[in-house]
């Protein structure tokens, strides 16, 4: 066990024992932005609780009905912007936050198609100096589409971004395969293999692989648009 200081305003702080297994390291701080990928909802919600501190400004993309949003708000962060495509999801998420934290829950909700309007999302993030990005665009969403969104978002938010947490089964699986390949190559050279899991620095090799995935997705999307609407402007997606 480790000791953790505990106590509130007006209380004398007393040491409290906390089981070591309950302590989760905070990732992507001290000038080293990190990408944290997970495959399952319970992992994502756990990261919502463990990877935030009161000074953080958070952007949650794909808030759905607000279960993870409630977890984010419970950490006492300075600001939260929660975005989702569906109006009914936004309304339910807002009501859930009221029930959990009262009307002064501190979360701003916005209906926005983040995949379609990444520039608008980047403008909103810049205005709020977002440093923590949480993304859940659906656990089964195709990995290349999520990679394209992440590359666009993280490039635009780079000046302030410290940690990116993403739930995507496809990317999490590709990341694990990448780490295992890197570990095998290191072992073959007689070097110590890196951990098979944990945070990814945004400059790591997997991120370059994700960029290639995103470029392939962008080219495929452009080809589809050109076939279905030859008059579509460059970068514009029209299906008619």
């Amino acid at each position: 066990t480790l000791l953790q200081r505990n106590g509130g305003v007006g209380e004398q702080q007393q040491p409290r024992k906390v089981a070591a297994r309950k302590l989760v390291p905070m990732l992507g701080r001290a000038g080293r932005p990190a990408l944290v990928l997970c495959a399952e909802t319970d992992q994502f919600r756990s990261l919502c609780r463990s990877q935030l501190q009161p000074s953080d400004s958070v952007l949650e993309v794909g808030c759905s009905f607000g279960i993870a949003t409630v977890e984010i708000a419970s950490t006492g962060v300075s600001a939260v912007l929660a975005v989702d495509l569906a109006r009914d999801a936004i309304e339910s998420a807002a009501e859930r936050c009221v029930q959990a934290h009262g009307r002064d829950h501190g979360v701003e909700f916005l209906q926005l198609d983040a995949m379609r309007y990444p520039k608008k999302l980047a403008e909103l993030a810049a205005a709020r100096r977002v440093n923590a990005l949480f993304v859940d665009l659906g656990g089964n969403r195709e990995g290349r589409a999520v990679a394209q969104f992440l590359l666009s978002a993280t490039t635009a938010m780079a000046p302030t971004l410290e940690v990116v947490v993403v739930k995507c089964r496809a990317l999490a699986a590709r990341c694990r395969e990448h780490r295992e390949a890197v570990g095998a190559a290191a072992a073959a050279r007689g070097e110590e293999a890196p951990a098979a899991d944990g945070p990814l620095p945004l400059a790591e090799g997997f991120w370059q692989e994700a960029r290639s995935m995103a470029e392939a997705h962008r080219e495929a999307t452009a080809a589809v648009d050109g076939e279905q609407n030859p008059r579509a402007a460059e970068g514009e997606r029209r299906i008619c």
Side-chain angles (χ1 to χ4, degrees), residues 166-238:
V166 183
K167 191 194 89 172
C168 177
R169 291 192 182 100
L171 284 185
R174 288 291 290 269
C175 176
R176 183 165 291 279
E177 291 171 1
H178 171 82
R179 281 286 179 88
E180 289 174 352
V182 170
R189 297 191 299 267
E191 302 172 358
E192 183 178 356
D197 53 13
L200 286 169
L202 291 183
E204 187 168 307
F206 173 75
W207 202 235
Q208 301 305 315
E209 180 180 339
R211 185 179 297 277
S212 298
M213 293 168 64
E215 290 295 336
H217 176 77
R218 187 180 295 113
E219 291 172 4
T221 301
V224 169
D225 290 342
E227 291 174 3
Q228 297 194 10
N229 186 349
R231 295 185 179 181
E234 183 179 356
E236 180 182 11
R237 183 174 186 181
R238 292 179 181 168

Side-chain angles (χ1 to χ4, degrees), residues 3 7 10-11 65 69 112 137 164 198 209:
L3 293 179
E11 298 178 358
F65 295 105
T69 314
L112 179 70
L137 296 171
V164 182
E209 180 180 339

Side-chain angles (χ1 to χ4, degrees), residues 135-178:
V135 180
D136 181 1
L137 296 171
N140 294 319
R141 189 179 286 266
E142 202 269 335
R144 292 184 300 173
V146 178
Q148 179 179 332
F149 168 78
L150 288 174
L151 287 165
S152 174
T154 55
T155 299
M157 301 177 198
T160 58
L161 203 57
E162 293 184 285
V163 62
V164 182
V165 177
V166 183
K167 191 194 89 172
C168 177
R169 291 192 182 100
L171 284 185
R174 288 291 290 269
C175 176
R176 183 165 291 279
E177 291 171 1
H178 171 82

Side-chain angles (χ1 to χ4, degrees), residues 37-48 50 165 167 172:
L37 290 166
C38 62
E40 304 302 332
T41 299
D42 59 341
Q43 297 171 326
F44 184 76
R45 293 174 185 168
S46 176
L47 289 164
C48 288
S50 68
V165 177
K167 191 194 89 172

Side-chain angles (χ1 to χ4, degrees), residues 19-34:
R21 60 182 172 79
K22 293 184 178 180
L23 298 179
V24 179
M26 185 167 285
L27 309 171
R29 307 292 171 159
R32 299 183 61 188

